Amino acid sequence: MNKLSKIILMMAFFLKANAARSQDSIFLPKLLHEYASDALQKVLADPATYRYQLIYTRIDRDSNNKPQFTDYTYRLNKDEYFNPASMVKMPVAFLALEKLHRIKGVDKFTTMLTDSSYSRQSAVLSDTSSADGMPSVAQYIRKIFLVSDNDAYNRLYEFNGQEFMNRRLYKMGYKDFRITRRFVTMNEEENRHTNQIKFIKDGSTLYVQKPAYNTGKFDFSKQIFIGNKYYNREEKLIDSPMNFTTHNNAPLKDLQMILRSMLIPESVHKSQRFKLTDDDYQFLYRYMCMLPFQSDHPRYDTTEFFDSYTKFFMFKS
């Protein structure tokens, strides 16, 4: 891994706490100009087209192993929209584990059955990828962090419910974060509806979560159209800008703080920590760093799901 790859990888992992020190952003452009490839230089030279934002945080530890954070940013702007794509799967997974602790007798390994309760919804009654052939929150989280599985995200989105996710993230201080949609074709109204969920064990129903509907309002007053053309889900070229107005929104700063709260929870205020157990943290750490070939359940064809699958900077040399 070259120096630039290491730098970019670190950008994707940490952001400042309230006590972090801020540095002039001249550092990053200078560093990138020195080490970037010719191809990357072309991207960096055209921010209006590529709309990139960068964060790098240096972590220094004192004699007591207490971390201190120094932040370097470039073009960081929460008001310039970028499509967070699969990055929203991360907080959705964390929130699912947190929500489970509200349900007596149920944990992340309990069988979770999903019903179809509204237009365009689908049911899940089994999971051939799991050791026991049944779906669970744990199995969905494994799939999310191993190969960024879209269906796994959709199922945790449905378990969490749109209202719980957005209210909880807002309460944690992520006021610009917005989770509005599954990764399947649905309109805004369909995405507000989430499925009935059952948790069962040994043939007995432990808990039923009824179908939910989010009555909360989102601020879609700012119209967001990006690009000149785009391909839709049917791979058809649409000759107009893409409308992101009602899409998921996740500012880069918020994403990095959420990840930092997971990796170094003691470094953020209690209000910004997810309410998880030590076992939850260890489970997440295991699957957030596991490669597809290391997993038995689910087991992946490594010719398709290779080591660097969705891990874009991990194996660059």
Side-chain angles (χ1 to χ4, degrees):
M1 183 182 292
N2 62 27
K3 291 181 180 180
L4 178 61
S5 296
K6 291 179 181 178
I7 291 165
I8 295 175
L9 181 62
M10 293 180 72
M11 289 175 190
F13 274 85
F14 300 102
L15 187 68
K16 63 184 177 182
N18 293 333
R21 294 166 289 163
S22 180
Q23 291 290 320
D24 195 312
S25 61
I26 292 175
F27 170 78
L28 278 183
K30 182 178 179 181
L31 191 68
L32 291 168
H33 179 74
E34 183 176 354
Y35 291 107
S37 65
D38 291 341
L40 184 54
Q41 290 284 9
K42 292 180 180 178
V43 173
L44 295 171
D46 192 1
T49 296
Y50 296 103
R51 303 169 66 91
Y52 57 83
Q53 300 183 36
L54 302 175
I55 305 171
Y56 164 56
T57 297
R58 190 182 73 205
I59 303 174
D60 299 296
R61 292 181 178 271
D62 62 20
S63 58
N64 296 316
N65 205 35
K66 182 179 179 180
Q68 291 184 318
F69 303 86
T70 304
D71 304 315
Y72 303 88
T73 67
Y74 187 55
R75 297 195 75 256
L76 186 65
N77 180 3
K78 68 181 180 63
D79 296 320
E80 182 179 76
Y81 183 83
F82 73 95
N83 180 15
S86 289
M87 289 186 287
V88 297
K89 295 172 184 174
M90 176 178 64
V92 169
F94 301 161
L95 289 168
L97 287 176
E98 180 178 285
K99 186 175 181 179
L100 279 175
H101 294 303
R102 302 182 177 190
I103 306 173
K104 186 177 180 180
V106 171
D107 62 28
K108 55 184 168 287
F109 303 109
T110 305
T111 295
M112 171 182 149
L113 302 182
T114 302
D115 200 353
S116 176
S117 315
Y118 192 75
S119 170
R120 301 191 68 82
Q121 292 183 2
S122 60
V124 179
L125 304 178
S126 64
D127 185 345
T128 58
S129 75
S130 66
D132 64 356
M134 301 304 290
S136 66
V137 168
Q139 190 68 358
Y140 289 135
I141 290 175
R142 291 184 183 109
K143 292 180 182 182
I144 282 175
F145 289 117
L146 282 164
V147 298
S148 190
D149 189 283
N150 285 348
D151 182 70
Y153 160 82
N154 293 340
R155 302 309 172 179
L156 296 187
Y157 175 106
E158 292 159 356
F159 167 59
N160 285 328
Q162 202 185 71
E163 182 175 356
F164 165 72
M165 291 187 291
N166 287 283
R167 286 193 175 187
R168 180 69 179 114
L169 289 170
Y170 188 92
K171 186 176 181 180
M172 294 175 76
Y174 305 114
K175 301 185 185 302
D176 296 299
F177 216 102
R178 183 179 72 219
I179 303 177
T180 59
R181 52 175 48 204
R182 300 166 174 86
F183 290 154
V184 65
T185 302
M186 286 188 176
N187 61 35
E188 184 184 343
E189 184 69 9
E190 289 166 336
N191 275 310
R192 285 179 174 271
H193 285 267
T194 45
N195 315 38
Q196 177 169 288
I197 307 288
K198 290 184 181 179
F199 289 93
I200 65 171
K201 184 176 182 180
D202 300 327
S204 298
T205 299
L206 302 178
Y207 179 77
V208 177
Q209 178 176 283
K210 294 181 179 180
Y213 177 76
N214 180 22
T215 60
K217 295 184 181 298
F218 295 107
D219 182 5
F220 295 142
S221 59
K222 180 181 178 181
Q223 297 292 296
I224 305 171
F225 290 86
I226 298 176
N228 298 313
K229 300 179 181 181
Y230 69 97
Y231 284 96
N232 64 14
R233 291 183 183 274
E234 288 72 42
E235 297 298 320
K236 180 181 178 181
L237 182 62
I238 306 300
D239 191 17
S240 65
M242 187 168 182
N243 187 355
F244 288 93
T245 302
T246 63
H247 284 218
N248 295 331
N249 185 54
L252 185 60
K253 177 179 178 180
D254 289 355
L255 285 166
Q256 291 213 349
M257 183 61 97
I258 286 171
L259 182 57
R260 175 175 158 181
S261 75
M262 179 56 53
L263 297 178
I264 315 177
E266 68 278 7
S267 72
V268 303
H269 191 273
K270 287 184 178 181
S271 65
Q272 292 180 295
R273 300 176 198 171
F274 293 89
K275 297 177 181 178
L276 304 178
T277 65
D278 288 343
D279 183 72
D280 291 333
Y281 281 110
Q282 293 307 312
F283 177 81
L284 288 167
Y285 296 157
R286 180 182 183 187
Y287 288 99
M288 288 172 75
C289 69
M290 184 179 286
L291 302 178
F293 84 90
Q294 297 172 312
S295 173
D296 291 324
H297 302 286
R299 183 180 295 277
Y300 293 102
D301 177 355
T302 55
T303 61
E304 178 181 0
F305 298 99
F306 39 88
D307 287 358
S308 58
Y309 187 85
T310 72
K311 300 170 179 64
F312 302 109
F313 300 112
M314 190 70 73
F315 297 93
K316 297 294 182 182
S317 60

